[in-house]
Amino acid sequence: MRAWELFRQAMFGAARAKLRSSLTAAGIAIGCGALVSMVAFALGLQQQMERPFKQLGLLNDIHVSPSRDGGRGRDDPDEPDADQSADEQAAESANPPAVLDEAAVTAIRDIPGVKFAYPDLRLANLRLAVGDKSTRASAIAAPRELGLSPELASMLTAGEFFTLDEAPQVLLSSELARQLGFDDAADAVGEQLTVSATGLAAGDEAGQFNFTDKQIEAAIVGVFDVPQFGPFGDSASVALIPADLMQHLPGIVESQLSSMRRGGAGAPGNYRRVVVRAESPAEVERIAKKIRDRGFHARTLISELGDARTAFLFLKSLLAAVGSVAMIIAGLGIANTLLMTVLERYEEIGLYKALGATDGDVRLLFLSEAAVLGLVGGLLGLALAGVVCWGLQWGLTTYMASQGIKQKIDAFYFPLWLLASGVGFSLVISIASGLYPASRAARVEPIEALRRA
Amino acid sequence: MPSEDSPAAPGDPPIIRTRRLARSYQVGESTIHALRGVDLDVQPGELLGVVGVSGSGKSTLLHLIGGLDAPTAGEVAVAGQALGALSRRARSLYRRQTVGFVFQSFYLVPTLSALANLKMALTLQGVYGACREQLAREALGRVGLAERADHRPGQLSVGQQQRVAVARALLHEPPVLLADEPTANLDSTTAAELMDLLADFRERLGTTIVMVTHDAALAQRYCTRTVAMSDGQLAGAEAAP
């Protein structure tokens, strides 16, 4: 029988006992709705936790630092290695660590899947001035390519990211813009800013450093809200400066010298940390491995979130299992409904068989009826889940607003795959529940059934 | 009235052949022998009447020929197919393609219209869409019920219901039509109309018809040959009237 004809016959069969079919489909709808809502809740929590990282593209980031053990894991450059044994130190002196300089960064940029890589440079004590207004600020270097990341658009409250040429530009946090007299962030965009930095800068000769005061003029191209997560720390008074511009400001070498004092790979021209952004989170571990193979230490947020993800996986599995119980109970309802249908239509089944229906035809007909109940129930279940979750979300938002919490929390997340899985699982459970009744219907002997009529 | 001559030429192989055909049922401790070694040949195009009292085994014989039941002993072959050798699926396909059934109780699906009953049967034959609609309407037209296509069985007289059943049985123009007491629920006028209809189909399509009836007079009047059954055996053959 053609699929469409089978569907029509199944719809017709289900419609013959409207109330019973409706109640059975309602059972499936409740099961599917419970399953989808509960998984959507777990996904919503996970989404809520990961969203800030995703928005900043941090799940794509790899933090690279020089390694003293060839990239085998222990060596955050900020951590002293007091427990290192004499043998290990001897081994290190025999195998000098890989140098994280501009050449190494260029080589890392050439790894397939790398979107961009830039040294993580920071300055803590800058003075910014617009006209007669000035303020203190910290600065973080950012690659000009960062503006190409669509996920960062949500950070900007006015203006845009850096252009890709070498124009002197700067992005201010909303707080900095306010301190400089711009109550409306949009007013700051296009203004000229004077950046003053004081500190050590490399001299003309190797190993020579001079204490220098330097000023540069830069255009304010955008204003951003400092996210709660990411590389910005607690400071709200922070500016983003293009990495190529930042490298020429005095004070950068001080952190390199500080690293050198601790016996690490720090030296003028060497970086303490480089941020590498992969094209996608799926590429991160592969790229990190390649970087480790080159003798560097590579740390990824995605692996550090692994434990949290495992916990969420457990939560999702648990809630899915609870939802599945509801679905299985609904499946028993389908089995019951179809068994009653087989008994009620016993003579009719006999007639079909007398007219030439094979066991397979009859089995397929009843399985189709089960599938139709599952499909209708599954779709209703999605609608039910949507309504229930909308209600709960509304309640949560209202409650949070009443408590003065402005942050928006999306407690439920419905990806397409979840909706498809909900309906798919309803179908599978329904068809599985229909197997026994369909098999009984298929085994009906026509002569027995017609005699009973 | 039907033609008295069978379309089959003398010496043609029978379209239906049974040899030592037996069917018994176990009811508790006792065995009931519904059919006890029946040898029967039916030539193509015959309208064979099988008469006998209730319980004589005539319906059992019809069910075995129709592949609705399986013999406990003996052989039955229809249109060259030995039914005993057929699998369950092959027997279903045999019923679908080779035979048509007309039952005493019509067995129309009560929730479907006359047209839908016929379309349902065509669906089992693998006929769909506009072609199915057209064939079903034509079949209803042939039994004079074109105007009642949308009526459900409950809205038709018993004679009309039986005519719908005949239309359904002949939809796919099977070589063999098996009718089990088709006139038992009809008055004499309606029964005569139905028999005229069957005889007409036999004449036009060359369909071989085996009709089981307890009405010997009706069989004598319409059938090309009549056999009587008693206690699960053929009591003797009678010549065509």
Side-chain angles (χ1 to χ4, degrees):
Chain A
M1 219 182 279
R2 281 183 192 165
W4 170 240
E5 192 58 40
L6 206 57
F7 178 74
R8 275 184 54 181
Q9 294 287 337
M11 284 294 283
F12 178 72
R16 282 163 69 176
K18 287 189 183 67
L19 181 62
R20 193 167 60 211
S21 298
S22 303
L23 290 173
T24 308
I28 285 286
I30 291 168
C32 175
L35 178 69
V36 169
S37 312
M38 285 197 257
V39 176
F41 175 64
L43 287 171
L45 289 183
Q46 184 174 2
Q47 186 84 344
Q48 197 66 34
M49 186 200 79
E50 290 185 356
R51 183 178 293 132
F53 300 106
K54 278 185 180 164
Q55 275 179 348
L56 295 173
L58 299 180
L59 295 181
N60 295 29
D61 280 1
I62 304 159
H63 288 238
V64 181
S65 49
S67 170
R68 278 172 283 174
D69 67 350
R72 284 184 294 276
R74 170 208 58 83
D75 54 355
D76 188 314
D78 294 333
E79 290 175 8
D81 49 349
D83 54 351
Q84 193 182 26
S85 70
D87 288 347
E88 284 170 333
Q89 287 177 14
E92 276 173 11
S93 58
N95 299 299
V99 175
L100 189 57
D101 56 10
E102 192 54 38
V105 175
T106 304
I108 287 171
R109 284 190 189 112
D110 290 339
I111 296 173
V114 171
K115 198 170 186 177
F116 52 75
Y118 62 98
D120 183 12
L121 304 175
R122 291 159 191 256
L123 284 174
N125 199 15
L126 294 178
R127 173 160 290 280
L128 308 181
V130 176
D132 58 349
K133 296 257 184 183
S134 68
T135 186
R136 291 265 168 207
S138 59
I140 298 175
R144 290 178 181 274
E145 297 91 335
L146 205 60
L148 301 176
S149 303
E151 59 265 23
L152 286 170
S154 62
M155 272 176 64
L156 283 177
T157 55
E160 54 194 16
F161 258 87
F162 308 128
T163 53
L164 292 177
D165 54 26
E166 292 193 351
Q169 295 169 329
V170 69
L171 281 143
L172 300 182
S173 67
S174 304
E175 174 61 21
L176 271 183
R178 196 188 56 74
Q179 288 171 8
L180 289 169
F182 301 108
D183 290 333
D184 184 350
D187 294 342
V189 177
E191 294 291 329
Q192 280 298 115
L193 179 80
T194 304
V195 180
S196 306
T198 305
L200 287 178
D204 296 334
E205 293 176 22
Q208 181 191 350
F209 297 97
N210 302 320
F211 196 78
T212 313
D213 189 0
K214 187 170 181 179
Q215 287 188 342
I216 56 169
E217 296 291 319
I220 302 170
V221 290
V223 179
F224 65 95
D225 277 338
V226 178
Q228 292 172 309
F229 298 90
F232 296 94
D234 296 331
S235 174
S237 303
V238 63
L240 286 179
I241 298 178
D244 53 88
L245 191 61
M246 187 97 153
Q247 290 195 55
H248 301 300
L249 290 176
I252 291 296
V253 293
E254 286 173 15
S255 61
Q256 296 163 344
L257 290 171
S258 136
S259 178
M260 194 165 71
R261 274 201 306 276
R262 280 188 273 151
N270 294 358
Y271 301 120
R272 292 179 65 207
R273 186 181 287 124
V274 166
V275 179
V276 177
R277 178 151 300 179
E279 297 280 359
S280 74
E283 302 265 30
V284 165
E285 285 306 328
R286 181 184 60 79
I287 294 169
K289 183 177 181 306
K290 281 193 180 295
I291 291 170
R292 287 185 196 111
D293 290 346
R294 293 174 187 207
F296 299 111
H297 178 73
R299 214 181 73 197
T300 64
L301 186 60
I302 207 163
S303 64
E304 288 178 16
L305 282 175
D307 286 347
R309 287 189 156 197
T310 305
F312 275 111
L313 185 67
F314 177 73
L315 181 66
K316 276 184 278 187
S317 306
L318 185 71
L319 293 178
V322 173
S324 299
V325 170
M327 189 77 102
I328 288 166
I329 292 169
L332 293 177
I334 285 206
N336 185 43
T337 294
L338 286 179
L339 276 173
M340 286 185 68
T341 304
V342 170
L343 291 175
E344 273 181 7
R345 288 161 59 185
Y346 192 70
E347 296 83 8
E348 192 181 317
I349 295 166
L351 172 68
Y352 288 160
K353 298 193 98 177
L355 295 177
T358 62
D359 293 1
D361 290 335
V362 174
R363 187 179 293 114
L364 203 57
L365 192 64
F366 278 84
L367 284 179
S368 305
E369 214 164 304
V372 161
L373 288 173
L375 182 67
V376 172
L379 292 173
L380 287 175
L382 295 189
L384 184 68
V387 170
V388 169
C389 294
W390 180 85
L392 290 173
Q393 178 69 52
W394 180 82
L396 181 68
T397 308
T398 307
Y399 176 72
M400 286 175 64
S402 72
Q403 299 297 309
I405 302 169
K406 288 180 184 169
Q407 190 190 357
K408 186 176 183 302
I409 289 182
D410 293 321
F412 300 93
Y413 175 53
F414 293 93
L416 199 59
W417 67 260
L418 177 63
L419 305 182
S421 303
V423 176
F425 194 48
S426 302
L427 270 175
V428 168
I429 288 284
S430 303
I431 291 171
S433 305
L435 282 175
Y436 175 66
S439 166
R440 272 189 68 164
R443 287 200 308 267
V444 166
E445 288 296 337
I447 193 65
E448 296 284 332
L450 293 177
R451 272 197 195 121
R452 192 187 283 191
Chain B
M1 291 289 287
S3 159
E4 293 179 0
D5 300 321
S6 162
D12 276 358
I15 191 165
I16 301 170
R17 166 172 288 199
T18 71
R19 291 293 177 268
R20 297 176 302 285
L21 193 62
R23 181 69 169 100
S24 53
Y25 303 96
Q26 199 69 34
V27 180
E29 300 263 313
S30 57
T31 303
I32 294 172
H33 297 281
L35 221 55
R36 302 163 185 263
V38 171
D39 292 339
L40 176 69
D41 286 344
V42 182
Q43 296 302 320
E46 268 195 286
L47 198 171
L48 177 72
V50 182
V51 296
V53 295
S54 183
S56 59
K58 53 190 190 303
S59 289
T60 303
L61 174 66
L62 203 70
H63 294 155
L64 291 174
I65 293 170
L68 289 174
D69 199 2
T72 42
E75 295 167 10
V76 56
V78 179
Q81 298 180 78
L83 304 193
L86 298 181
S87 64
R88 271 177 78 87
R89 177 177 163 75
R91 264 202 304 166
S92 294
L93 296 178
Y94 158 78
R95 289 194 294 268
R96 184 185 298 182
Q97 292 156 1
T98 310
V99 294
F101 290 98
V102 178
F103 300 100
Q104 178 182 344
S105 303
F106 324 135
Y107 295 132
L108 299 174
V109 180
T111 50
L112 299 179
S113 67
L115 185 71
N117 265 282
L118 266 56
K119 283 165 71 175
M120 179 269 290
L122 282 167
T123 302
L124 293 173
Q125 300 282 342
V127 182
Y128 307 107
C131 177
R132 178 178 63 177
E133 176 88 11
Q134 188 190 342
L135 284 175
R137 287 194 182 280
E138 282 175 6
L140 279 177
R142 281 198 295 272
V143 296
L145 290 174
E147 303 300 316
R148 313 299 296 271
D150 297 325
H151 289 71
R152 291 186 179 183
Q155 298 167 312
L156 300 172
S157 70
V158 286
Q160 288 169 332
Q161 289 182 50
Q162 192 59 298
R163 279 197 277 164
V164 174
V166 170
R168 184 182 63 191
L170 292 168
L171 270 173
H172 57 300
E173 299 186 358
V176 175
L177 178 71
L178 304 171
D180 189 2
E181 302 275 13
T183 59
N185 291 330
L186 308 180
D187 61 51
S188 58
T189 309
T190 315
E193 285 173 5
L194 184 78
M195 288 310 300
D196 284 338
L197 191 65
L198 290 178
D200 181 52
F201 277 121
R202 169 188 161 262
E203 211 159 283
R204 283 197 289 120
L205 304 174
T207 311
T208 305
I209 301 175
V210 179
M211 182 181 72
V212 162
T213 179
H214 63 273
D215 187 343
L218 185 90
Q220 285 287 342
R221 187 173 170 206
Y222 285 97
C223 296
T224 55
R225 184 162 62 103
T226 305
V227 293
M229 287 199 71
S230 173
D231 197 22
Q233 291 176 311
L234 286 180
E238 293 181 18

